Amino acid sequence: MSIDNDLTRDWWKSAVVYQIYPRSFADSDGDGTGDLRGIIERLDYLQTLGVDVVWLGPVYRSPQYDNGYDISDYQDVDPIFGTLDDLDELIEELHRRGIRLLMDIVVNHTSDEHPWFVESRDPSSERRDWYFWRPPRPDHAGGEPGAEPNNWNAVFSGPAWEWDAASGEYFLHMFSRKQPDLNWENPQVRSAIYRMMRWWLDRGVDGFRLDVINLISKPEGLPDGAGFTQIADGPRMHEFLAEMNAEVLADQPRPLLVVGEMPGVTVEDARRYTDPERREVDMVFQFEHVDLDHGPGGKFDLVPLPMPRLRENLMRWQVELEPVGWNSLYWDNHDQPRAVSRFGDDDAQWREVSAKTLATVLHLLRGTPYVYQGQELGMTNTPFADIAGFRDIESLNYAAEQETAGRLFDELLPGLSAGSRDNARTPMQWDDSAGAGFTSGEPWIAVNPNAAQINAQRQVGVAGSVFEHYRALIAFRHDEPCVAHGGVTPLAMDHPDLWAYRREHEGIELLVLASFTREPIEIPADLLEDWMDCDAGDPSRDGVTVAIATSDEAASAVLADGRLPGWESVVLRRIR
Ligand code: NOJ
């Protein structure tokens, strides 16, 4: 097998992306941190799962304050992950298995240890203008509270400005102070970035996931204001993306993929960014549905999220992007708590079935599904007991800020445990050995204590497992054009627990029925009209088949008496 270069431009509509967080996937040398050779050793697993694309989290040289999202050399691999030769081998081995490589690239900011920024610290340097350096507010002394050039806050706590006493100015950092923002207004910055991206394409990578890309065009004059939302989707965004596309991608003969991670993007914005005519990005990676459970205190103040709110949001995106545009479909990633604990039911009795149902709902939608490492096993959140268990800069900065403001850590723990990005970053659970098959050493972050029950060894090839359910869903997208190309009709939108929708394409119809509760659901009769004269034991009658089901019992219960057992889901298919 090898990658097929003879594909339509929108080949990614029938593709499934698997996200690897390199430090937590597989450690080949026992130092406790995942690495490229570890990934290479596990590629057969990905091939078995059937994914088309691997999104590789940043492995560039980095001081690792934000686990690689602080890059100090875009054209080298950090020694903790391996070497450029290892990366070349990874590309080759992926391609040999028919899998493409999507590089995560962070160009809104660099590390403060990047030579560009180091040079830029000198006010007389040609690189001064590559970042945002500004004097204190008039009539304020630099370094004093309130002297920052504007009132923007950083995503990782505190003001978005860091005082540099040596040069008498502040620099802008929308994330941590170790991540200064690049000045995209400067054409030299843009051409340096485009050159670097072409270098990666020449090396064989198949596209980019562009980190927080909708922050690169800052509002003119950097005015005081609402901060983050004001900065997103700035005045030159579309121009910059079109320019990037023309400079980096347009003359590439092979099928590529460009994904724009865009916090705060609305569905209207997404249509423009992904309209194929405009040639900006292929799909957005948006956040509305994963922000719905944020309480007044933000992401560490999670509030209960009734399923209908989640459904209303995702189905609105479905309907509004149908005429033009494309979305990434995800529950989990390296910045989010684990989906089964958050949107499903991680109680031992319901964990597997609810993990499978979350997968069904997502993978049957229009868009490109993403599987975040371990999601295909139903991996859960971790029971963090104290501050020593956390590693993430966002969680640690938040705890420090709140403690300075007088809150006790015990008070913060429930919010941190539920919302921390570290939930997604515990080691991949391969088997029930001490290091979960991830490492023979001391892992950089503790293994989830449930690794002995939830791991790949117990699931691959085991009928009914979460892994095998994912495998079936991925194969179904490949085989059934209706999944990739069909229209979407939301159904029973007033039902409190049933998530239902129809897909239609060239005479094929799919009906998706999914339960989001432990109690059995009576399916509204009108939904099943014309479908129930098929029975699960005779799948060919009237052209109606059970395409996917979380269990045979669920399929029988739906078809025999219009009832869906707790947390189960069924997908029916028919020819019209
Ligand atoms: C988004 C990335 O997904 C996240 O992990 C990172 O911390 C920020 N961007 C800053 O690069």
Side-chain angles (χ1 to χ4, degrees):
M1 206 172 172
S2 65
I3 49 167
D4 181 0
N5 281 333
D6 188 21
L7 295 178
T8 57
R9 213 181 122 203
D10 62 354
W11 62 273
W12 29 262
K13 288 188 174 171
S14 51
V16 174
V17 179
Y18 188 90
Q19 184 190 353
I20 290 183
Y21 194 65
R23 45 170 60 231
S24 304
F25 190 66
D27 170 23
S28 69
D29 58 7
D31 68 355
T33 300
D35 47 47
L36 292 172
R37 300 223 65 81
I39 299 173
I40 293 168
E41 285 165 15
R42 296 289 184 175
L43 292 183
D44 289 346
Y45 172 85
L46 299 182
Q47 193 174 15
T48 304
L49 185 58
V51 296
D52 307 274
V53 178
V54 161
W55 153 12
L56 182 68
V59 292
Y60 314 92
R61 238 177 224 278
S62 160
Q64 304 289 331
Y65 282 92
D66 188 19
N67 293 357
Y69 287 91
D70 48 325
I71 299 173
S72 56
D73 184 346
Y74 286 105
Q75 287 168 248
D76 201 1
V77 167
D78 197 280
I80 64 166
F81 296 123
T83 63
L84 272 174
D85 285 345
D86 294 332
L87 191 56
D88 288 342
E89 191 177 325
L90 174 64
I91 296 171
E92 195 182 316
E93 287 298 317
L94 281 167
H95 286 178
R96 208 160 62 76
R97 291 170 174 80
I99 302 175
R100 287 166 212 277
L101 182 64
L102 187 71
M103 287 295 270
D104 201 330
I105 199 130
V106 189
V107 290
N108 173 69
H109 46 270
T110 64
S111 160
D112 66 343
E113 296 178 30
H114 193 292
W116 295 343
F117 186 76
V118 173
E119 262 186 61
S120 141
R121 281 187 178 278
D122 174 356
S124 63
S125 142
E126 282 186 7
R127 292 239 157 83
R128 186 69 167 179
D129 184 49
W130 281 42
Y131 295 83
F132 294 95
W133 289 96
R134 294 291 182 275
R137 269 184 200 263
D139 306 324
H140 285 73
E144 285 178 11
E148 292 84 13
N150 69 22
N151 66 356
W152 297 356
N153 284 322
V155 177
F156 296 158
S157 302
W161 294 94
E162 181 74 7
W163 173 241
D164 179 52
S167 68
E169 286 192 311
Y170 285 90
F171 67 85
L172 177 69
H173 60 86
M174 289 311 302
F175 291 87
S176 81
R177 62 183 178 78
K178 301 291 294 175
Q179 294 163 296
D181 280 46
L182 280 163
N183 176 14
W184 274 69
E185 298 294 325
N186 184 328
Q188 288 176 347
V189 169
R190 304 204 299 277
S191 61
I193 289 169
Y194 303 153
R195 232 185 350 266
M196 171 274 288
M197 290 172 76
R198 281 199 300 268
W199 183 86
W200 279 109
L201 290 177
D202 291 345
R203 230 179 163 95
V205 308
D206 303 290
F208 302 100
R209 176 263 187 192
L210 304 166
D211 188 75
V212 290
I213 198 66
N214 63 331
L215 302 193
I216 60 176
S217 166
K218 309 291 192 274
E220 217 183 307
L222 313 182
D224 274 346
F228 196 74
T229 44
Q230 193 190 24
I231 294 152
D233 308 300
R236 300 184 68 188
M237 263 320 300
H238 293 282
E239 175 196 337
F240 289 161
L241 287 179
E243 180 184 84
M244 177 192 284
N245 199 301
E247 295 287 325
V248 179
L249 308 155
D251 59 353
Q252 289 284 335
R254 40 198 194 103
L256 298 174
L257 171 60
V258 179
V259 183
E261 191 210 22
M262 299 194 177
V265 79
T266 64
V267 69
E268 293 75 28
D269 300 326
R271 285 162 81 122
R272 289 188 74 198
Y273 284 126
T274 62
D275 179 348
E277 298 292 309
R278 299 176 60 91
R279 296 193 175 242
E280 295 181 14
V281 296
D282 296 318
M283 62 187 81
V284 295
F285 199 91
Q286 59 89 23
F287 288 79
E288 276 189 6
H289 68 296
V290 290
D291 289 347
L292 292 172
D293 59 357
H294 293 181
K299 68 179 296 181
F300 297 112
D301 176 25
L302 293 187
V303 294
L305 174 62
M307 181 280 274
R309 281 196 65 209
L310 185 61
R311 178 184 60 195
E312 184 282 323
N313 182 276
L314 283 175
M315 296 317 275
R316 185 165 52 73
W317 274 77
Q318 290 286 299
V319 170
E320 295 187 15
L321 280 190
E322 193 166 317
V324 57
W326 201 254
N327 195 7
S328 306
L329 304 170
Y330 73 98
W331 295 127
D332 267 336
N333 73 21
H334 66 292
D335 293 329
Q336 303 293 332
R338 289 282 178 182
V340 69
S341 300
R342 185 183 190 184
F343 304 120
D345 187 337
D346 66 4
D347 176 90
Q349 192 189 338
W350 302 102
R351 181 182 55 75
E352 288 192 25
V353 67
S354 70
K356 290 197 275 181
T357 282
L358 284 172
T360 305
V361 167
L362 199 77
H363 281 246
L364 266 292
L365 287 173
R366 184 171 178 277
T368 297
Y370 286 59
V371 181
Y372 176 67
Q373 63 185 45
Q375 181 182 350
E376 75 282 12
L377 304 173
M379 276 178 61
T380 66
N381 276 355
T382 293
F384 292 101
D386 54 41
I387 190 75
F390 293 97
R391 297 285 178 275
D392 169 34
I393 188 171
E394 180 184 45
S395 308
L396 296 173
N397 282 3
Y398 168 80
E401 184 185 65
Q402 296 293 313
E403 285 182 303
T404 308
R407 293 182 68 192
L408 299 174
F409 181 73
D410 281 356
E411 211 185 300
L412 302 173
L413 185 60
L416 275 168
S417 287
S420 176
R421 309 195 293 183
D422 281 334
N423 282 301
R425 300 175 179 187
T426 59
M428 176 73 178
Q429 294 167 200
W430 295 104
D431 59 37
D432 59 8
S433 64
F438 161 73
T439 183
S440 56
E442 187 61 35
W444 71 276
I445 185 170
V447 170
N448 190 314
N450 63 22
Q453 291 78 47
I454 305 173
N455 62 59
Q457 197 180 39
R458 289 175 70 137
Q459 296 194 32
V460 178
V462 176
S465 67
V466 182
F467 180 92
E468 290 302 322
H469 190 70
Y470 269 89
R471 177 144 88 144
L473 286 166
I474 294 166
F476 190 52
R477 174 167 288 259
H478 292 156
D479 297 344
E480 172 53 77
C482 184
V483 181
H485 302 288
V488 186
T489 309
L491 301 171
M493 288 293 281
D494 53 358
H495 199 291
D497 302 308
L498 175 69
W499 191 326
Y501 55 91
R502 185 170 54 235
R503 306 290 317 270
E504 266 171 292
H505 181 67
E506 296 182 349
I508 300 296
E509 198 178 345
L510 302 172
L511 177 64
V512 181
L513 301 167
S515 160
F516 276 66
T517 182
R518 294 179 180 185
E519 302 307 320
I521 291 176
E522 295 301 325
I523 297 169
D526 57 323
L527 292 195
L528 283 173
E529 221 178 309
D530 305 338
W531 290 89
M532 280 182 68
D533 47 357
C534 133
D535 76 71
D538 180 6
S540 63
R541 259 175 56 195
D542 299 329
V544 180
T545 51
V546 176
I548 302 273
T550 39
S551 68
D552 293 345
E553 297 74 45
S556 310
V558 166
L559 292 167
D561 39 71
R563 201 172 46 83
L564 191 57
W567 277 111
E568 303 261 8
S569 50
V570 173
V571 181
L572 303 178
R573 175 185 186 273
R574 71 175 166 193
I575 302 161
R576 300 220 46 157

